[in-house]
């Protein structure tokens, strides 16, 4: 990839926050609700969830970095010579290849129009900015995870910790929803309700697994 490669520029910490925070909160909320009643030692419970936090944050770092890096194939509206040769080797008719290229042009025009409508800024790829964005997303992931998992670290009575965790999760979802509504210029109530429903869905999913197993 060259230094002039174009990538979508995020809105800084706001994008990282909206990506990382709910992922960490929901993932650890589901994991703690599922595993808290399993017969295991307290330290084993902690080790499993700390491992989930570490693995999840590394995955967020990787995926956010890749998203910031973009994809070089979007720099061109046409099929590259290499792509055209691959299609020809598959015995695809030239008219079909031309049709594919025409559709790619239409998609590219639609994509550019969407970027303009949503006021999304494209810029040249910057490695340090991409790394910084990935680390911020991981930080917000761990922040969300701490609301779900933190009460279990401070209270080995998992029944009481679960109630505290649930309270913090829905409080966190409410605050997050208001922030997201402000950032995205949406009405707060629909956003709050949507995330409450998602939180309730995670809890119900964990409850169903308990009933099955």
């Amino acid at each position: 990839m060259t230094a002039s490669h174009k990538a979508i520029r995020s809105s800084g910490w706001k994008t990282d926050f909206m990506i990382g925070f709910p992922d960490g909160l929901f993932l650890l909320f589901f994991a703690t609700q599922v595993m808290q009643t399993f017969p295991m030692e307290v330290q084993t419970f902690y080790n499993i969830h700390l491992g989930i936090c570490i693995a999840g944050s590394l995955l967020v770092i990787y995926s956010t970095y890749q998203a910031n890096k973009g994809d070089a194939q979007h720099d061109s509206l046409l099929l590259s010579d290499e792509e055209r040769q691959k299609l020809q080797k598959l015995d695809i008719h030239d008219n079909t290849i031309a049709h594919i290229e025409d559709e790619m042009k239409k998609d590219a025009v639609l994509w550019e129009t969407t970027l303009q409508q949503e006021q999304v800024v494209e810029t040249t790829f910057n490695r340090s900015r991409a790394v910084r964005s990935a680390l911020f997303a991981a930080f917000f992931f761990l922040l969300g995870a701490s609301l779900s998992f933190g009460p279990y670290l401070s209270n080995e009575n998992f029944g009481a910790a679960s109630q505290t965790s649930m309270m913090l999760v829905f409080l966190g979802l409410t605050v997050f929803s208001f922030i997201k509504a402000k950032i995205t210029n949406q009405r707060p109530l629909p956003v709050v309700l949507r995330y409450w429903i998602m939180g309730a869905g995670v809890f119900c999913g964990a409850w169903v697994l308990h009933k099955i197993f």
Side-chain angles (χ1 to χ4, degrees):
M1 186 182 65
T2 64
S4 62
H5 170 65
K6 289 197 302 184
I8 293 176
R9 182 180 181 182
S10 75
S11 55
W13 69 268
K14 297 176 183 178
T15 302
D16 303 329
F17 173 68
M18 289 190 290
I19 292 173
F21 182 83
D23 285 355
L25 186 146
F26 283 132
L27 177 60
L28 271 295
F29 183 46
F30 179 76
T32 52
Q33 290 297 317
V34 169
M35 296 185 187
Q36 64 175 311
T37 59
F38 287 179
M40 66 177 70
E41 295 182 358
V42 172
Q43 190 59 50
T44 301
F45 179 88
Y46 290 161
N47 291 341
I48 290 174
H49 287 83
L50 288 173
I52 293 174
C53 287
I54 293 172
S57 61
L58 291 176
L59 182 60
V60 168
I61 288 174
Y62 175 78
S63 59
T64 305
Y65 179 82
Q66 291 298 319
N68 277 276
K69 188 169 68 171
D71 190 344
Q73 71 177 6
H74 295 304
D75 287 347
S76 175
L77 304 183
L78 305 177
L79 286 172
S80 66
D81 292 337
E82 182 181 355
E83 291 170 334
R84 185 178 288 102
Q85 290 173 3
K86 288 180 179 179
L87 292 176
Q88 290 171 343
K89 289 179 180 179
L90 295 174
D91 292 330
I92 297 177
H93 196 275
D94 288 343
N95 289 338
T96 303
I97 295 177
H99 176 71
I100 292 173
E101 192 169 29
D102 185 58
E103 291 299 317
M104 289 179 64
K105 290 180 182 178
K106 293 178 181 178
D107 289 342
V109 171
L110 178 60
W111 175 246
E112 292 296 331
T113 302
T114 302
L115 292 180
Q116 293 176 5
Q117 291 175 344
E118 298 297 330
Q119 298 181 339
V120 176
V121 179
E122 283 190 314
T123 184
T124 54
F125 171 71
N126 183 286
R127 189 179 301 277
S128 62
R129 185 170 59 232
V131 170
R132 183 170 62 249
S133 176
L135 293 177
F136 266 111
F139 168 77
F140 288 122
F141 174 90
L142 292 175
L143 180 62
S146 67
L147 291 182
S148 300
F149 180 47
Y152 296 89
L153 291 174
S154 60
N155 189 352
E156 294 185 4
N157 181 346
F158 286 173
S162 176
Q163 294 180 2
T164 304
S165 174
M166 192 176 305
M167 179 188 69
L168 290 178
V169 163
F170 280 91
L171 178 61
L173 288 175
T174 302
V175 174
F176 171 79
S177 298
F178 275 97
I179 295 175
K180 182 174 181 177
K182 178 68 174 179
I183 293 173
T184 58
N185 295 319
Q186 299 181 66
R187 291 189 296 122
L189 184 58
V191 181
V192 171
L193 291 177
R194 181 165 67 249
Y195 277 96
W196 277 4
I197 291 172
M198 292 171 65
V202 170
F203 177 78
C204 290
W207 181 81
V208 169
L209 287 178
H210 281 306
K211 291 300 181 181
I212 294 174
F213 298 103

